[in-house]
Amino acid sequence: MSTKKDASLQSDITKFRHEPDGSFRRAPSVFRSFIEKGGQFEAEKDRYHLFVSYACPWATRTLIVRKLKGLEDLIPVTIVSPHMGTEGWPFANVDEFPGAEVDPLYSSEHIKDLYFKADPNYSGRFSVPVLWDKKNHTIVNNESSEIIRMFNTAFNDLIPKDKAAVDIYPAAHRAEIDSLNEWVYDTVNNGVYKAGFSIKQQAYEAAVVPLFQSLDRLEKILTGKDYLVGDVLTEADIRLWVTIIRFDPVYVGHFKCNLRTIRNGYPAIHSWMRKLYWNNSAFKDSTNFEHIKTHYYWSHPSVNPTRVVPVGPIPNVEDL
């Protein structure tokens, strides 16, 4: 299935608009329904399908939680190619990148085809992740922060007790998690993009300085600790980790976030990142550096017009 409608203003990153001061502003997600008992979208086995990119940090959040909660058999996943071009994220039938897959539901050519199937008049961006409902042939949700909370609780009656007991948003820590998420999202998760996509010097500096101030703050929080909140893995760790694992391989060079590297400038963050990568398969198995580096350096011609992908750093993740 392919959509012939001209949607280049929504799919072509080179045509995205900047603010008058040269800064980058991320558009909010549009599909915001929830899987819940008694609602339009009930928890059922093999009713839902997850479309993601290994390259995208927001999508990687959902892959990590999907594995932590043991949802692999309930929610199949499809990986797109990292070559996000003028038509957006492509499937393997139009871009045979190693590890990319075809859309098993509709033989779509691009993620945008799913958006237009859900809403022919859709006018937003064609982002991943996409949580799809196969029963109603529509998008349930495309906001990763909400998808991971659904994965955390919505399917607990359908999975083994040990997986149902995994709780990345424990009630006792929710206020602290929410507070931390707020400033980490603004200055770190989205901060690297605000720095990298700035087109004026002042806008870039207005993003990169708060980014490293927040990293300094996170370094203090993680000193002597394995997790950000309490002594347990929470969504705060997952949401930060997907940015930190990409920091040295991509953001330092490509997005000019080069005041310091993680491996040489932040020992506590570096240790926390490596422990999660090497000791928890949900993190390591959800990370594909070939997709990550190819996507950023190939898909942003306004930032890297040659599309040359750097060889380093070597290794992508240092040993413990």
Side-chain angles (χ1 to χ4, degrees):
M1 182 189 77
S2 175
T3 302
K4 301 304 180 183
K5 177 181 177 181
D6 181 10
S8 59
L9 291 177
Q10 299 161 257
S11 61
D12 187 348
I13 195 169
T14 65
K15 296 182 180 181
F16 291 175
R17 295 180 178 177
H18 284 77
E19 297 299 302
D21 65 355
S23 63
F24 165 76
R25 179 176 294 181
R26 185 175 299 278
S29 302
V30 173
F31 292 91
R32 309 293 287 270
S33 297
F34 285 82
I35 298 172
E36 55 190 355
K37 291 181 180 178
Q40 179 184 2
F41 303 102
E42 294 264 9
E44 300 174 28
K45 182 176 181 179
D46 201 30
R47 174 175 172 176
Y48 302 99
H49 196 96
L50 185 65
F51 293 93
V52 301
S53 165
Y54 278 134
C56 173
W58 321 103
T60 302
R61 295 174 174 183
T62 65
L63 288 176
I64 292 171
V65 179
R66 174 177 173 267
K67 182 154 188 173
L68 286 173
K69 293 291 296 187
L71 298 174
E72 295 98 321
D73 291 338
L74 273 70
I75 306 173
V77 67
T78 296
I79 310 294
V80 297
S81 165
H83 286 143
M84 188 185 74
T86 57
E87 300 296 321
W89 296 102
F91 289 99
N93 50 327
V94 295
D95 192 87
E96 294 183 1
F97 193 90
E101 299 169 321
V102 299
D103 170 12
L105 304 182
Y106 312 105
S107 299
S108 306
E109 293 186 356
H110 296 87
I111 283 289
K112 70 173 185 176
D113 300 330
L114 295 172
Y115 277 84
F116 285 133
K117 185 173 184 63
D119 179 3
N121 297 312
Y122 179 73
S123 60
R125 289 187 59 195
F126 308 114
S127 61
V128 287
V130 170
L131 182 59
W132 185 265
D133 176 19
K134 292 185 281 188
K135 179 181 289 187
N136 293 312
H137 304 283
T138 194
I139 297 172
V140 179
N141 198 297
N142 68 335
E143 169 51 55
S144 65
S145 63
E146 294 174 352
I147 293 174
I148 64 175
R149 289 192 180 177
M150 277 185 265
F151 284 2
N152 187 46
T153 59
F155 297 89
N156 280 350
D157 291 341
L158 303 177
I159 56 179
K161 290 184 178 179
D162 63 323
K163 293 297 185 180
V166 174
D167 185 5
I168 62 168
Y169 191 50
H173 296 300
R174 287 181 183 178
E176 187 176 357
I177 291 170
D178 289 344
S179 175
L180 191 144
N181 282 346
E182 184 175 6
W183 60 267
V184 166
Y185 168 78
D186 181 50
T187 59
V188 181
N189 299 139
N190 201 37
V192 294
Y193 287 91
K194 290 193 288 186
F197 287 150
S198 295
I199 58 173
K200 292 184 180 179
Q201 185 70 32
Q202 187 174 359
Y204 159 71
E205 293 183 13
V208 78
V209 171
L211 163 62
F212 280 89
Q213 289 174 338
S214 287
L215 289 176
D216 293 343
R217 183 177 177 184
L218 289 161
E219 177 72 9
K220 292 179 181 178
I221 292 173
L222 283 168
T223 297
K225 296 176 61 181
D226 288 333
Y227 305 108
L228 284 166
V229 179
D231 58 355
V232 64
L233 177 69
T234 70
E235 69 169 47
D237 296 289
I238 297 164
R239 288 170 52 128
L240 174 63
W241 189 89
V242 295
T243 298
I244 299 301
I245 198 67
R246 289 162 172 78
F247 204 90
D248 287 3
V250 173
Y251 302 143
V252 168
H254 185 57
F255 279 171
K256 305 179 184 71
C257 300
N258 60 356
L259 275 66
R260 287 175 290 283
T261 62
I262 298 299
R263 64 188 65 195
N264 293 318
Y266 294 99
I269 297 175
H270 191 213
S271 175
W272 162 86
M273 180 195 77
R274 288 178 295 144
K275 285 178 181 177
L276 288 173
Y277 182 86
W278 293 113
N279 295 337
N280 193 320
S281 61
F283 290 82
K284 187 174 187 295
D285 293 350
S286 301
T287 305
N288 184 314
F289 285 105
E290 183 180 13
H291 279 233
I292 289 169
K293 292 176 66 174
T294 298
H295 165 67
Y296 282 96
Y297 286 100
W298 190 94
S299 300
H300 304 153
S302 61
V303 180
N304 183 38
T306 65
R307 287 179 164 168
V308 172
V309 180
V311 174
I314 299 175
N316 290 310
V317 183
E318 294 183 352
D319 292 333
L320 287 172

